[in-house]
Amino acid sequence: QEPPPSDTAAAAAAARVCARSLAHLRRAGRVLAQERARALAGMSGPVASRCLLQVFLLAWGIAQLAAGERVVVVVPCYNEEKRLPAAQYLDFLRLPAAADVVFLFVNDGSMDRTLEMLQGLQAEAQAQLGPGRIDVLDVQPNGGKAEAVRRGMLAALEGKLGSIGGGPLSAAVGDIVGFWDGDLATPLGALPDLLGALRGAEEGPGRLRCRGGVAAGCGAEDGMPALPPVDMVFGARVGLLGRDVTRSMSRHYLGRVFATLASLILQIPIYDTQCGAKLFRATPQLHEAVAAPFRAGWIFDVELLARLKRAYAARGTSTLQDVIFEFPLHRWHDLPGSKLGLSAKVGALWGLARIWHEHLSPWTGPWPPPGTDNRTTEL
């Protein structure tokens, strides 16, 4: 016997409320939320009601946890009013895999209506997905991509954003912060891949390696020993067969020359320093590295790595090479509209020399510089 239409509608409404409630509890129960969200599609009315009851019974216990795992992705924006693919960000946030992701858009002193567009996107996300999924930080005046990324990451690390509860981010509870190019040359579909590599295991067909031991799902059946967990995962634009990585020939070869020089300066075998898709655990070393403004302009990624190398060396716990994992992207397209001119690219060579002199040469002073307060930086 078919249930009355009113019961069917009530069951559907209950299922929607349950799914939304589970999404709001994502930070402390990410895995539970994802598994239950996948099951909601086939729920009958009574099952949906039981799910609602479970949610409310779990709410008190989950609330006792000091904010669970949080993922804050900083997106720097300069004059992106007509270029930012806003709809793709909203579509991504609707996915179960994005249940614990927050996008922090940083308006870097834009001269057009980028700020108004971002605020509208934030309001739309709140109306459709609930609060705390998109936040906006306005930085004035324009300071460049490096400063926009640094200010955004620092605001997230220090808990200075209203939409991100639980105070400062901490690696002790699994918090993650990173940055992503706003034009989505690296698609958002790569974000779950990078998160999976950072959290413990690289999943799916063609798995490369498993990290973190049995607790991360690594076992003898993987055919290889578990590797130590990492603190950073970077996208790498590698033109392998079966991957859709498209770059202009000039940009590819210039990039290879630059990456080789950066690798020599940093003394680590890194393949791609400049890919705009990077995730980090919220470690004290990362906080130290972003406490002061960068001086290297658009090659700030290399300066960030140099600072991190010194921060890890100072603690003596591990080397930078041991805590980085480069993930070969499945898809990356060279998009038009680059804001870098020829002089900036040539100036990168001088920038590499200055990074070596200030952070890595035998005559470099102690890091952080004397007088730098790494606990707080005014925003």
Side-chain angles (χ1 to χ4, degrees):
Q1 182 179 358
E2 293 293 328
S6 59
D7 290 348
T8 302
R16 286 195 297 271
V17 173
C18 183
R20 183 171 297 180
S21 300
L22 287 167
H24 284 305
L25 297 174
R26 62 190 179 277
R27 290 170 179 165
R30 178 178 58 85
V31 176
L32 174 64
Q34 292 179 11
E35 292 302 321
R36 291 197 180 277
R38 292 189 189 102
L40 283 175
M43 280 187 178
S44 63
V47 176
S49 300
R50 287 197 296 273
C51 178
L52 279 173
L53 179 61
Q54 290 174 353
V55 167
F56 293 124
L57 288 176
L58 286 170
W60 181 86
I62 292 177
Q64 303 309 304
L65 300 174
E69 185 176 282
R70 295 165 290 176
V71 179
V72 182
V73 180
V74 175
V75 182
C77 300
Y78 176 69
N79 291 347
E80 299 287 350
E81 178 187 3
K82 297 180 180 179
R83 295 183 70 242
L84 190 79
Q88 293 185 42
Y89 288 96
L90 291 176
D91 290 342
F92 176 78
L93 289 174
R94 294 187 180 96
L95 301 175
D100 51 6
V101 174
V102 175
F103 286 118
L104 169 58
F105 292 93
V106 180
N107 176 52
D108 180 26
S110 298
M111 305 298 290
D112 59 4
R113 295 178 57 84
T114 295
L115 179 59
E116 290 82 350
M117 181 268 293
L118 294 176
Q119 291 170 338
L121 180 61
Q122 180 183 21
E124 188 174 358
Q126 181 166 340
Q128 296 183 17
L129 306 170
R133 306 308 307 278
I134 287 180
D135 209 333
V136 177
L137 177 65
D138 184 29
V139 174
Q140 298 290 343
N142 170 255
K145 178 182 177 180
E147 184 64 3
V149 168
R150 187 191 75 85
R151 294 276 291 272
M153 293 181 68
L154 193 60
L157 287 167
E158 296 185 347
K160 293 185 177 180
L161 301 176
S163 68
I164 303 172
L169 299 185
S170 170
V173 294
D175 290 338
I176 294 168
V177 64
F179 57 90
W180 211 267
D181 281 348
D183 60 5
L184 300 186
T186 304
L188 290 174
L191 184 50
D193 292 333
L194 270 64
L195 284 171
L198 188 55
R199 283 166 170 159
E202 192 177 310
E203 302 174 354
R207 181 198 297 199
L208 295 181
R209 60 184 64 196
C210 192
R211 292 185 176 273
V214 176
C218 305
E221 67 277 6
D222 291 304
M224 61 181 68
L227 297 176
V230 295
D231 288 345
M232 311 164 212
V233 174
F234 303 160
R237 299 163 291 183
V238 187
L240 302 172
L241 293 176
R243 310 270 172 153
D244 183 16
V245 176
T246 305
R247 304 179 74 182
S248 67
M249 184 175 295
S250 62
R251 186 166 183 174
H252 170 73
Y253 286 110
L254 285 173
R256 296 311 315 136
V257 170
F258 179 86
T260 300
L261 293 174
S263 177
L264 292 172
I265 286 174
L266 293 168
Q267 296 182 339
I268 57 174
I270 189 167
Y271 181 86
D272 189 354
T273 61
Q274 299 309 112
C275 181
K278 291 182 171 67
L279 298 178
F280 307 80
R281 294 191 186 279
T283 60
Q285 294 94 321
L286 178 63
H287 191 256
E288 287 181 10
V290 299
F294 296 112
R295 291 164 51 86
W298 69 273
I299 61 169
F300 73 94
D301 309 65
V302 181
E303 185 175 1
L304 175 59
L305 288 171
R307 293 182 181 188
L308 285 167
K309 183 173 184 176
R310 297 190 66 183
Y312 276 89
R315 281 172 168 75
T317 54
S318 56
T319 65
L320 184 64
Q321 181 174 332
D322 293 334
V323 296
I324 297 178
F325 179 58
E326 288 192 278
F327 185 95
L329 296 172
H330 294 282
R331 185 172 183 269
W332 190 92
H333 282 186
D334 200 353
L335 299 177
S338 173
K339 300 179 177 67
L340 293 176
L342 178 62
S343 61
K345 295 176 181 178
V346 173
L349 299 177
W350 166 247
L352 287 175
R354 187 163 66 178
I355 290 170
W356 177 83
H357 175 73
E358 293 182 354
H359 298 282
L360 301 171
S361 79
W363 305 281
T364 301
W367 178 262
T372 300
D373 184 353
N374 290 312
R375 293 169 298 174
T376 180
T377 298
E378 198 65 33
L379 294 177

Short mmCIF file of all heavy atoms in Angstrom, two decimals, residues 232-267:
data_model
loop_
_atom_site.label_atom_id
_atom_site.label_comp_id
_atom_site.label_asym_id
_atom_site.label_seq_id
_atom_site.Cartn_x
_atom_site.Cartn_y
_atom_site.Cartn_z
N MET A 232 52.09 18.56 4.54
CA MET A 232 51.75 19.41 3.40
C MET A 232 51.53 18.54 2.17
O MET A 232 52.25 17.55 1.97
CB MET A 232 52.87 20.40 3.08
CG MET A 232 53.40 21.16 4.27
SD MET A 232 54.99 21.94 3.93
CE MET A 232 55.73 21.87 5.57
N VAL A 233 50.53 18.90 1.38
CA VAL A 233 50.30 18.25 0.10
C VAL A 233 50.15 19.34 -0.96
O VAL A 233 49.34 20.25 -0.81
CB VAL A 233 49.04 17.35 0.12
CG1 VAL A 233 48.76 16.80 -1.28
CG2 VAL A 233 49.23 16.20 1.09
N PHE A 234 50.96 19.24 -2.02
CA PHE A 234 50.95 20.23 -3.09
C PHE A 234 50.52 19.56 -4.39
O PHE A 234 50.96 18.45 -4.71
CB PHE A 234 52.35 20.83 -3.30
CG PHE A 234 52.95 21.48 -2.09
CD1 PHE A 234 54.32 21.68 -2.00
CD2 PHE A 234 52.16 21.90 -1.03
CE1 PHE A 234 54.89 22.28 -0.89
CE2 PHE A 234 52.72 22.50 0.09
CZ PHE A 234 54.09 22.69 0.16
N GLY A 235 49.70 20.24 -5.16
CA GLY A 235 49.41 19.78 -6.50
C GLY A 235 50.65 19.92 -7.37
O GLY A 235 51.43 20.86 -7.22
N ALA A 236 50.84 18.97 -8.28
CA ALA A 236 51.98 19.00 -9.20
C ALA A 236 51.46 18.80 -10.62
O ALA A 236 50.73 17.85 -10.89
CB ALA A 236 52.99 17.91 -8.85
N ARG A 237 51.83 19.73 -11.49
CA ARG A 237 51.38 19.70 -12.88
C ARG A 237 52.34 18.86 -13.71
O ARG A 237 53.29 19.36 -14.30
CB ARG A 237 51.27 21.13 -13.41
CG ARG A 237 50.28 21.97 -12.63
CD ARG A 237 50.47 23.45 -12.88
NE ARG A 237 51.72 23.94 -12.31
CZ ARG A 237 52.10 25.22 -12.34
NH1 ARG A 237 51.32 26.12 -12.90
NH2 ARG A 237 53.26 25.59 -11.80
N VAL A 238 52.07 17.57 -13.73
CA VAL A 238 52.94 16.62 -14.41
C VAL A 238 52.20 16.06 -15.63
O VAL A 238 51.10 15.50 -15.49
CB VAL A 238 53.36 15.46 -13.48
CG1 VAL A 238 54.40 14.58 -14.16
CG2 VAL A 238 53.87 16.00 -12.16
N GLY A 239 52.77 16.20 -16.80
CA GLY A 239 52.11 15.77 -18.03
C GLY A 239 52.24 14.29 -18.28
O GLY A 239 52.91 13.86 -19.23
N LEU A 240 51.60 13.49 -17.45
CA LEU A 240 51.65 12.03 -17.59
C LEU A 240 50.57 11.55 -18.55
O LEU A 240 49.54 12.21 -18.73
CB LEU A 240 51.46 11.37 -16.23
CG LEU A 240 52.44 11.75 -15.13
CD1 LEU A 240 51.99 11.17 -13.80
CD2 LEU A 240 53.84 11.25 -15.47
N LEU A 241 50.78 10.37 -19.13
CA LEU A 241 49.74 9.76 -19.94
C LEU A 241 48.53 9.45 -19.05
O LEU A 241 48.68 8.98 -17.92
CB LEU A 241 50.26 8.47 -20.58
CG LEU A 241 51.36 8.64 -21.65
CD1 LEU A 241 51.84 7.28 -22.13
CD2 LEU A 241 50.85 9.47 -22.81
N GLY A 242 47.36 9.73 -19.58
CA GLY A 242 46.15 9.53 -18.79
C GLY A 242 45.77 10.72 -17.93
O GLY A 242 44.76 10.67 -17.23
N ARG A 243 46.55 11.78 -17.96
CA ARG A 243 46.23 13.02 -17.23
C ARG A 243 45.97 14.13 -18.23
O ARG A 243 46.55 14.16 -19.31
CB ARG A 243 47.40 13.43 -16.32
CG ARG A 243 47.93 12.31 -15.43
CD ARG A 243 47.24 12.27 -14.10
NE ARG A 243 47.62 11.11 -13.32
CZ ARG A 243 47.61 11.05 -11.99
NH1 ARG A 243 47.23 12.10 -11.31
NH2 ARG A 243 47.94 9.95 -11.37
N ASP A 244 45.10 15.04 -17.86
CA ASP A 244 44.74 16.16 -18.72
C ASP A 244 45.40 17.43 -18.20
O ASP A 244 44.77 18.28 -17.57
CB ASP A 244 43.21 16.30 -18.76
CG ASP A 244 42.74 17.41 -19.69
OD1 ASP A 244 43.55 17.85 -20.53
OD2 ASP A 244 41.57 17.84 -19.57
N VAL A 245 46.70 17.54 -18.43
CA VAL A 245 47.48 18.69 -17.99
C VAL A 245 47.93 19.45 -19.23
O VAL A 245 48.73 18.94 -20.02
CB VAL A 245 48.69 18.26 -17.14
CG1 VAL A 245 49.54 19.47 -16.77
CG2 VAL A 245 48.22 17.53 -15.89
N THR A 246 47.39 20.66 -19.40
CA THR A 246 47.64 21.44 -20.62
C THR A 246 48.32 22.75 -20.27
O THR A 246 47.76 23.58 -19.55
CB THR A 246 46.31 21.73 -21.35
OG1 THR A 246 45.64 20.49 -21.60
CG2 THR A 246 46.57 22.43 -22.66
N ARG A 247 49.55 22.94 -20.78
CA ARG A 247 50.29 24.18 -20.58
C ARG A 247 50.90 24.60 -21.90
O ARG A 247 51.22 23.74 -22.75
CB ARG A 247 51.41 24.00 -19.55
CG ARG A 247 50.96 23.48 -18.20
CD ARG A 247 52.12 23.32 -17.25
NE ARG A 247 52.62 24.59 -16.76
CZ ARG A 247 53.65 24.71 -15.94
NH1 ARG A 247 54.32 23.66 -15.55
NH2 ARG A 247 54.03 25.90 -15.52
N SER A 248 51.07 25.90 -22.09
CA SER A 248 51.77 26.36 -23.29
C SER A 248 53.21 25.89 -23.22
O SER A 248 53.78 25.70 -22.14
CB SER A 248 51.72 27.89 -23.37
OG SER A 248 52.47 28.46 -22.32
N MET A 249 53.81 25.69 -24.39
CA MET A 249 55.18 25.17 -24.42
C MET A 249 56.15 26.10 -23.71
O MET A 249 57.01 25.66 -22.93
CB MET A 249 55.61 24.95 -25.87
CG MET A 249 56.99 24.31 -26.00
SD MET A 249 57.43 23.91 -27.71
CE MET A 249 56.19 22.67 -28.07
N SER A 250 56.00 27.42 -23.95
CA SER A 250 56.93 28.37 -23.32
C SER A 250 56.77 28.35 -21.80
O SER A 250 57.77 28.36 -21.07
CB SER A 250 56.68 29.78 -23.86
OG SER A 250 55.36 30.21 -23.56
N ARG A 251 55.53 28.30 -21.35
CA ARG A 251 55.30 28.30 -19.90
C ARG A 251 55.82 27.00 -19.27
O ARG A 251 56.37 27.02 -18.17
CB ARG A 251 53.81 28.47 -19.61
CG ARG A 251 53.50 28.62 -18.14
CD ARG A 251 52.09 29.13 -17.93
NE ARG A 251 51.81 29.33 -16.52
CZ ARG A 251 50.70 29.88 -16.05
NH1 ARG A 251 49.77 30.31 -16.89
NH2 ARG A 251 50.51 30.03 -14.76
N HIS A 252 55.67 25.90 -19.99
CA HIS A 252 56.15 24.63 -19.45
C HIS A 252 57.66 24.64 -19.27
O HIS A 252 58.19 24.29 -18.20
CB HIS A 252 55.74 23.48 -20.38
CG HIS A 252 56.39 22.18 -20.04
ND1 HIS A 252 56.02 21.42 -18.94
CD2 HIS A 252 57.41 21.49 -20.63
CE1 HIS A 252 56.77 20.34 -18.87
NE2 HIS A 252 57.61 20.36 -19.89
N TYR A 253 58.40 25.05 -20.32
CA TYR A 253 59.86 24.99 -20.24
C TYR A 253 60.43 26.05 -19.31
O TYR A 253 61.42 25.79 -18.59
CB TYR A 253 60.47 25.07 -21.64
CG TYR A 253 60.27 23.78 -22.41
CD1 TYR A 253 59.40 23.71 -23.49
CD2 TYR A 253 60.93 22.62 -22.01
CE1 TYR A 253 59.21 22.51 -24.18
CE2 TYR A 253 60.75 21.42 -22.69
CZ TYR A 253 59.88 21.38 -23.77
OH TYR A 253 59.69 20.19 -24.43
N LEU A 254 59.83 27.23 -19.30
CA LEU A 254 60.26 28.23 -18.32
C LEU A 254 60.00 27.74 -16.90
O LEU A 254 60.82 27.94 -15.99
CB LEU A 254 59.54 29.56 -18.56
CG LEU A 254 60.01 30.38 -19.76
CD1 LEU A 254 59.09 31.58 -19.97
CD2 LEU A 254 61.45 30.85 -19.56
N GLY A 255 58.85 27.07 -16.74
CA GLY A 255 58.52 26.52 -15.43
C GLY A 255 59.49 25.44 -14.99
O GLY A 255 59.86 25.37 -13.81
N ARG A 256 59.96 24.62 -15.93
CA ARG A 256 60.91 23.58 -15.57
C ARG A 256 62.26 24.17 -15.17
O ARG A 256 62.91 23.69 -14.23
CB ARG A 256 61.12 22.60 -16.73
CG ARG A 256 59.91 21.79 -17.15
CD ARG A 256 59.16 21.13 -16.01
NE ARG A 256 60.04 20.48 -15.07
CZ ARG A 256 59.90 20.59 -13.75
NH1 ARG A 256 58.93 21.34 -13.22
NH2 ARG A 256 60.72 19.96 -12.95
N VAL A 257 62.70 25.21 -15.87
CA VAL A 257 63.95 25.87 -15.50
C VAL A 257 63.82 26.47 -14.10
O VAL A 257 64.71 26.31 -13.24
CB VAL A 257 64.33 26.95 -16.53
CG1 VAL A 257 65.50 27.79 -16.03
CG2 VAL A 257 64.66 26.32 -17.88
N PHE A 258 62.71 27.18 -13.86
CA PHE A 258 62.51 27.81 -12.55
C PHE A 258 62.44 26.75 -11.46
O PHE A 258 63.06 26.90 -10.39
CB PHE A 258 61.22 28.64 -12.56
CG PHE A 258 60.94 29.30 -11.25
CD1 PHE A 258 61.49 30.53 -10.94
CD2 PHE A 258 60.12 28.68 -10.31
CE1 PHE A 258 61.24 31.13 -9.72
CE2 PHE A 258 59.86 29.28 -9.09
CZ PHE A 258 60.42 30.51 -8.79
N ALA A 259 61.68 25.67 -11.69
CA ALA A 259 61.54 24.64 -10.66
C ALA A 259 62.88 23.99 -10.34
O ALA A 259 63.16 23.66 -9.18
CB ALA A 259 60.53 23.59 -11.12
N THR A 260 63.71 23.80 -11.35
CA THR A 260 65.03 23.22 -11.12
C THR A 260 65.89 24.13 -10.25
O THR A 260 66.54 23.68 -9.30
CB THR A 260 65.74 22.95 -12.45
OG1 THR A 260 64.95 22.05 -13.24
CG2 THR A 260 67.12 22.35 -12.22
N LEU A 261 65.87 25.44 -10.54
CA LEU A 261 66.63 26.39 -9.73
C LEU A 261 66.09 26.45 -8.30
O LEU A 261 66.86 26.48 -7.33
CB LEU A 261 66.57 27.78 -10.37
CG LEU A 261 67.29 27.93 -11.71
CD1 LEU A 261 67.02 29.30 -12.31
CD2 LEU A 261 68.79 27.68 -11.56
N ALA A 262 64.77 26.45 -8.17
CA ALA A 262 64.16 26.48 -6.83
C ALA A 262 64.53 25.23 -6.04
O ALA A 262 64.83 25.29 -4.84
CB ALA A 262 62.65 26.62 -6.94
N SER A 263 64.54 24.08 -6.72
CA SER A 263 64.90 22.84 -6.05
C SER A 263 66.35 22.87 -5.57
O SER A 263 66.66 22.41 -4.47
CB SER A 263 64.68 21.66 -7.02
OG SER A 263 65.08 20.45 -6.44
N LEU A 264 67.23 23.44 -6.39
CA LEU A 264 68.64 23.54 -5.98
C LEU A 264 68.81 24.46 -4.79
O LEU A 264 69.59 24.18 -3.87
CB LEU A 264 69.48 24.03 -7.17
CG LEU A 264 69.62 23.05 -8.35
CD1 LEU A 264 70.29 23.74 -9.53
CD2 LEU A 264 70.39 21.81 -7.92
N ILE A 265 68.08 25.58 -4.80
CA ILE A 265 68.20 26.54 -3.70
C ILE A 265 67.64 25.95 -2.41
O ILE A 265 68.24 26.07 -1.34
CB ILE A 265 67.47 27.85 -4.07
CG1 ILE A 265 68.30 28.62 -5.11
CG2 ILE A 265 67.22 28.71 -2.84
CD1 ILE A 265 67.62 29.84 -5.65
N LEU A 266 66.47 25.29 -2.50
CA LEU A 266 65.84 24.72 -1.32
C LEU A 266 66.50 23.42 -0.87
O LEU A 266 66.31 22.97 0.26
CB LEU A 266 64.36 24.44 -1.60
CG LEU A 266 63.47 25.66 -1.84
CD1 LEU A 266 62.12 25.24 -2.40
CD2 LEU A 266 63.28 26.45 -0.54
N GLN A 267 67.26 22.79 -1.78
CA GLN A 267 67.93 21.52 -1.52
C GLN A 267 66.94 20.42 -1.18
O GLN A 267 67.16 19.60 -0.28
CB GLN A 267 68.98 21.68 -0.41
CG GLN A 267 70.10 22.62 -0.80
CD GLN A 267 71.17 22.75 0.28
OE1 GLN A 267 70.94 22.45 1.45
NE2 GLN A 267 72.35 23.19 -0.12
#
